[in-house]
Amino acid sequence: MPGADRPARGARGPYANGERRRAEIVDAAMAVFAEQGYERTSLRDIAERAGTSHASLIHHFGSKAVLLRQVLQRRAELDRPVRAEAVRTAGLLDAAVEMMHRNARVPGLIQLDATLTVEALDPAHPAHEFFRQVYDDFAAEVLPELERERDAGRIRTDLPLPLVARQFVALIQGVQIQWLYDPGVDMAEHVRVWLELLRPARG
Amino acid sequence: MPGADRPARGARGPYANGERRRAEIVDAAMAVFAEQGYERTSLRDIAERAGTSHASLIHHFGSKAVLLRQVLQRRAELDRPVRAEAVRTAGLLDAAVEMMHRNARVPGLIQLDATLTVEALDPAHPAHEFFRQVYDDFAAEVLPELERERDAGRIRTDLPLPLVARQFVALIQGVQIQWLYDPGVDMAEHVRVWLELLRPARG
DNA sequence: GTCTATAGAGCGATAGAC
DNA sequence: GTCTATCGCTCTATAGAC
């Protein structure tokens, strides 16, 4: 199946080598951004990791900012199927527990999110809109799930759910940062306990 | 009373002008760090704000890292009396609601904390130990307060309080970042609702 | 498509006049 | 104690050979 829907040009489809090279560079950039953040990472750092020159990065992507956007897009693509499976089997809220457990085992992944999120607070940052949208979307996705849970009697009826949905985002964000300072922090357990707090009174 | 316990040298105490100048530079640095973070701020940016040259900053502080430490120390000194008063009148937990409400009105203050916190994740960063200590200390200070509240029957008895103490820190951190992305987020209300979640079941 | 060379700018820090 | 001048370095991005 791979490449079957493309006209052959050379051994693989068109631009196959160029696309593979670009993918290698994006992977290298993702790794180095995760270790050092965006601002502190130079094109030379990424080029060294990818086994090429910083000039070739510019050739392929045009600028460091564009490369960052490719990294964010790639990360979202990698996440989507894993996340979809977790949501399918556990529901959106409990899936977060599973996702945090899993993400903690991928070196640099959470540091990438935390570092870029805060760097991108500046509205002029190339990833500012991306993160604003990600958080808004996530809160908007969580809200109806919270309403369903409330209507099913599984969470308290006296809570301002739009605020609670946003608090879910904030909690995940904050727990990640505390975990980065102290790996003894159990991120999944934090989310689990917080979800427990939402449950109705049991006497 | 001011300066009375010092031998006069010139019109004011010793080093009076130098200390005033240093204080002005620290205030300027605090403002610019708050707007741009530490890494993205140059000594020239700070010097311009303070109305002097970047060389004079080095003269007074020796390095950019030392200047950052002075800023953090100054910020802690500014915070201490306000915080102490809030804790005295409201108790430690409710004081946080008050503090977040107040801090939201000081431009750049929360951005300073959030930006530096994440930049300082790197153990080699000049503020890494400072922030690790601040978060550990705060969680350690909150824990006995939570235990008192539990013993007084004001919060649930089935919660892992050491984790909850750390979650308080994480929540404040995360809510601040969400607020920076969307000023419509009501930080104090988030803390208030979370504290409400801790209360015992009421049927 | 990848390289070397380099432009052009900004950085932290230093030296030394005043 | 403050300045100008500058060092030595790093950065993003460009130019052009191959």
Side-chain angles (χ1 to χ4, degrees):
Chain A
M1 196 70 86
D5 54 347
R6 277 181 183 164
R9 190 185 301 179
R12 264 171 299 268
Y15 319 119
N17 282 327
E19 282 178 11
R20 186 151 26 99
R21 197 82 192 91
R22 284 171 60 98
E24 284 167 10
I25 291 170
V26 169
D27 285 346
M30 184 154 44
V32 185
F33 285 155
E35 288 167 13
Q36 308 182 341
Y38 174 74
E39 311 276 355
R40 279 188 277 191
T41 295
S42 70
L43 292 175
R44 284 166 177 82
D45 293 337
I46 300 165
E48 189 182 352
R49 180 77 62 109
T52 182
S53 70
H54 76 279
S56 97
L57 270 59
I58 296 287
H59 168 74
H60 281 299
F61 297 96
S63 77
K64 189 186 175 189
V66 170
L67 178 52
L68 170 63
R69 291 199 195 94
Q70 296 293 310
V71 166
L72 294 173
Q73 193 176 314
R74 174 92 177 116
R75 193 200 162 324
E77 281 166 14
L78 289 173
D79 230 36
R80 200 172 301 129
V82 179
R83 190 174 122 87
E85 172 63 12
V87 169
R88 201 183 58 76
T89 61
L92 180 58
L93 300 177
D94 292 328
V97 180
E98 169 62 22
M99 287 297 289
M100 299 205 65
H101 196 76
R102 183 190 297 263
N103 287 346
R105 308 191 136 266
V106 183
L109 191 78
I110 286 172
Q111 177 131 6
L112 175 66
D113 280 358
T115 307
L116 290 182
T117 289
V118 174
E119 279 182 355
L121 284 172
D122 176 1
H125 191 280
H128 179 80
E129 266 313 303
F130 176 87
F131 280 108
R132 214 191 46 71
Q133 194 71 50
V134 163
Y135 294 133
D136 280 0
D137 287 353
F138 188 61
E141 192 183 4
V142 163
L143 179 54
E145 179 83 359
L146 287 171
E147 288 167 344
R148 269 193 297 278
E149 291 291 298
R150 179 200 55 199
D151 295 344
R154 285 193 288 271
I155 68 177
R156 291 163 54 161
T157 57
D158 62 338
L159 301 176
L161 294 190
L163 180 138
V164 171
R166 178 64 72 161
Q167 185 161 128
F168 194 39
V169 180
L171 181 81
I172 290 171
Q173 187 86 72
V175 163
Q176 286 179 338
I177 291 170
Q178 292 304 309
W179 175 76
L180 289 167
Y181 269 102
D182 177 3
V185 169
D186 184 336
M187 296 191 289
E189 183 66 5
H190 268 279
V191 174
R192 207 189 58 71
V193 167
W194 184 81
L195 288 171
E196 194 71 28
L197 289 174
L198 301 181
R199 292 183 115 80
R202 283 145 307 155
Chain B
M1 197 67 90
D5 54 347
R6 279 181 181 165
R9 191 185 297 178
R12 263 168 300 266
Y15 319 119
N17 280 330
E19 283 177 10
R20 188 155 22 101
R21 199 80 193 92
R22 285 172 60 99
E24 284 167 10
I25 291 170
V26 169
D27 284 346
M30 185 153 43
V32 186
F33 285 154
E35 288 167 13
Q36 307 182 341
Y38 174 74
E39 313 275 355
R40 280 188 277 189
T41 296
S42 71
L43 291 175
R44 284 164 179 84
D45 293 338
I46 300 165
E48 188 183 352
R49 179 79 62 114
T52 182
S53 68
H54 77 281
S56 97
L57 272 57
I58 296 287
H59 168 75
H60 281 299
F61 297 96
S63 76
K64 188 186 174 187
V66 170
L67 177 54
L68 171 61
R69 291 199 196 91
Q70 296 292 311
V71 166
L72 293 173
Q73 193 175 315
R74 173 92 177 116
R75 192 198 163 328
E77 280 165 13
L78 289 173
D79 228 36
R80 199 172 301 129
V82 179
R83 189 174 121 88
E85 173 63 11
V87 170
R88 201 183 58 73
T89 60
L92 180 58
L93 299 179
D94 291 328
V97 181
E98 169 62 23
M99 286 297 288
M100 297 203 68
H101 196 75
R102 183 189 297 263
N103 286 345
R105 309 192 135 267
V106 184
L109 191 77
I110 286 172
Q111 177 133 4
L112 177 64
D113 279 358
T115 307
L116 290 182
T117 290
V118 173
E119 280 182 350
L121 285 171
D122 176 1
H125 191 280
H128 179 80
E129 265 315 301
F130 176 88
F131 280 106
R132 214 190 47 72
Q133 194 73 48
V134 163
Y135 294 132
D136 280 0
D137 287 353
F138 189 62
E141 192 183 4
V142 163
L143 179 54
E145 180 82 0
L146 288 172
E147 289 167 345
R148 269 193 296 278
E149 290 292 297
R150 178 200 54 198
D151 296 345
R154 284 193 288 272
I155 66 175
R156 291 163 54 160
T157 57
D158 62 338
L159 301 176
L161 294 189
L163 180 139
V164 172
R166 177 64 71 161
Q167 186 161 129
F168 195 39
V169 181
L171 180 81
I172 290 171
Q173 187 84 73
V175 163
Q176 285 178 339
I177 291 169
Q178 291 304 309
W179 175 77
L180 288 167
Y181 270 101
D182 177 3
V185 169
D186 184 335
M187 296 193 289
E189 183 66 4
H190 269 280
V191 173
R192 206 190 59 70
V193 167
W194 184 81
L195 288 171
E196 194 71 27
L197 290 176
L198 302 181
R199 294 184 113 81
R202 287 144 304 154

